Amino acid sequence: ERALDSFLRALNVPPGDIPEELEQRSSLFRSMVSGKRLMLVIDNVSSSMQVRQLLPAAPQCFAMITSRSSLQGLVAREGAVRVRLDVLSPQDAIHLLSELIGSTRVTAEPAEAQRLVELCGRLPLALRVVAERVASRPLLSLAELVAELIGEQNRLDAMASAEDELSDTRVVFSWSYGALTPDLKKAFRLLGLHAGTEIGVGAAAALIAEGFGTNLRYSGAGLGYQLASVIAGGPAPLIATKILQETGS
């Protein structure tokens, strides 16, 4: 309701003319944008139901929705096209780091730069927070920063901005964790017991099955593959970086 209220106000609808009922607001919004070329960006959607009333019906309008869920209902009913985003490739991660701290520092310590992006899990937000740490300490070498990150007991704390909660990787991960079902939450925590930096889907399924036992409506193996779909986007090798391991433990 608040989102539709904001949309209608942006379309110059007087506050007194905005209906109280959600469906009436949605109907008014759709009539207001009919015939207009409009692009909506709706971020961090938790469910299809949450966003459905915000979608314009006009064919000239385009809605881009970001979510930590697959939003299967939108794909099935509204014909949404799902685009899965993975972590950055090693090359793209290095390119982003070069843009943030300068290519001179990256080319001066190429091995350390590569190690740094891997310690960040090749996650854009983590890389940006760490890059700001580098930029604010011009005398700090990448090797010294890598040593700091390796030595950090709680590495996620090192990838947090003290003055901005939205730039805290722990907070961002907590949103994804909060969207999981209780069984998947437990399965995710169990992955934190794995000592390595990578784990295959089969090993993850075995670990989860051991943690759940047999008294569960899902098998441990099934949860392993379901969690792989949530994290990796399908039944492919599940990469559990040390960052995610620390979140789950």
Side-chain angles (χ1 to χ4, degrees), residues 156-170:
L156 289 178
D157 293 336
M159 297 178 183
S161 172
E163 57 85 29
D164 183 12
E165 183 183 77
L166 295 179
S167 298
D168 187 336
T169 50
R170 193 183 297 278

Side-chain angles (χ1 to χ4, degrees), residues 2-249:
R2 286 183 295 177
L4 279 171
D5 181 84
S6 298
F7 286 172
L8 291 170
R9 288 171 186 265
L11 291 168
N12 297 319
V13 177
D17 293 341
I18 297 177
E20 292 293 330
E21 296 296 326
L22 175 62
E23 290 189 2
Q24 292 179 353
R25 286 188 181 186
S26 179
S27 177
L28 177 60
F29 170 67
R30 287 171 176 162
S31 66
M32 292 286 296
V33 300
S34 178
K36 291 184 171 63
R37 292 175 61 85
L38 185 71
M39 176 177 175
L40 292 179
V41 180
I42 309 174
D43 188 34
N44 203 22
V45 171
S46 61
S47 67
S48 299
M49 186 69 70
Q50 183 188 37
V51 74
R52 184 166 278 128
Q53 298 287 356
L54 303 176
L55 299 178
Q60 302 92 337
C61 297
F62 177 81
M64 183 171 69
I65 302 166
T66 68
S67 178
R68 290 164 174 79
S69 302
S70 61
L71 302 181
Q72 296 176 349
L74 289 185
V75 175
R77 289 191 55 185
E78 279 72 29
V81 177
R82 184 186 296 120
V83 179
R84 295 187 182 275
L85 296 181
D86 202 348
V87 298
L88 296 174
S89 68
Q91 296 79 11
D92 287 342
I94 289 291
H95 179 73
L96 175 60
L97 184 64
S98 298
E99 287 190 338
L100 296 172
I101 68 173
S103 59
T104 301
R105 299 187 73 174
V106 172
T107 55
E109 300 177 88
E112 289 75 12
Q114 188 63 54
R115 179 64 173 142
L116 182 62
V117 301
E118 293 301 329
L119 286 169
C120 291
R122 289 184 264 133
L123 297 167
L125 177 60
L127 273 170
R128 287 184 176 277
V129 173
V130 169
E132 171 56 28
R133 191 168 173 174
V134 174
S136 64
R137 300 163 67 183
L139 299 180
L140 179 72
S141 70
L142 296 188
E144 289 172 324
L145 179 59
V146 166
E148 285 185 10
L149 290 178
I150 292 175
E152 290 273 4
Q153 175 133 17
N154 296 306
R155 189 181 310 163
L156 289 178
D157 293 336
M159 297 178 183
S161 172
E163 57 85 29
D164 183 12
E165 183 183 77
L166 295 179
S167 298
D168 187 336
T169 50
R170 193 183 297 278
V171 171
V172 175
F173 287 148
S174 73
W175 295 339
S176 296
Y177 178 77
L180 298 177
T181 65
D183 287 344
L184 284 175
K185 286 180 180 178
K186 182 176 180 180
F188 184 76
R189 293 194 302 271
L190 286 168
L191 288 180
L193 299 175
H194 180 63
T197 57
E198 298 182 3
I199 184 171
V201 175
L207 176 63
I208 292 168
E210 181 71 21
F212 274 104
T214 56
N215 296 322
L216 186 69
R217 62 191 180 96
Y218 297 116
S219 69
L223 274 172
Y225 283 96
Q226 190 176 353
L227 190 60
S229 296
V230 171
I231 296 176
L238 172 61
I239 303 300
T241 66
K242 196 67 174 177
I243 296 175
L244 295 179
Q245 187 183 53
E246 289 166 7
T247 308
S249 58

